[in-house]
Amino acid sequence: MRDAGAPETKERRCPRLGHEITFAYCLGCGDDGGPCFKVADCWWEYFDVVDYLRAHYDEETVARILDARPKPKVASLLELIEQAKERTGQKE
């Protein structure tokens, strides 16, 4: 472990972003403003992240986080294209 302090201050390299982030960042970067869908996958080696989630979130939220699956790449790319079109005012 890199930091013996509070879990929120622990740091690691994010596989999605490619740089160092804190656990606190992971708790608020999900699509809905909650924890990232990969939070348990990324942090299990550093501390008992599932226990942390259970202590800080209701059962439904924890289940949603632990059972979450990323969107398929094609769907994500299509969403990004649509968002870019909307920003630039382009239509199909």
Side-chain angles (χ1 to χ4, degrees):
M1 287 188 204
R2 295 183 187 163
D3 181 358
E8 294 85 359
T9 63
K10 294 183 185 304
E11 292 184 357
R12 67 157 285 144
R13 183 183 177 282
C14 175
R16 296 178 72 203
L17 299 176
H19 58 79
E20 293 286 317
I21 48 88
T22 63
F23 178 63
Y25 177 84
C26 297
L27 294 176
C29 73
D31 290 339
D32 60 356
C36 174
F37 72 93
K38 290 187 63 64
V39 71
D41 291 337
C42 292
W43 290 97
W44 69 271
E45 293 179 279
Y46 293 79
F47 65 99
D48 193 341
V49 66
V50 175
D51 275 355
Y52 179 93
L53 294 172
R54 287 185 176 136
H56 291 85
Y57 297 92
D58 60 63
E59 287 182 38
E60 182 179 315
T61 302
V62 173
R64 182 176 40 79
I65 294 166
L66 297 179
D67 294 337
R69 299 289 175 253
K71 293 178 187 176
K73 284 284 188 199
V74 174
S76 295
L77 289 172
L78 291 174
E79 282 182 14
L80 290 171
I81 291 168
E82 287 303 314
Q83 291 171 7
K85 285 181 181 179
E86 289 173 9
R87 281 195 306 272
T88 60
Q90 294 179 2
K91 295 185 180 182
E92 291 187 37

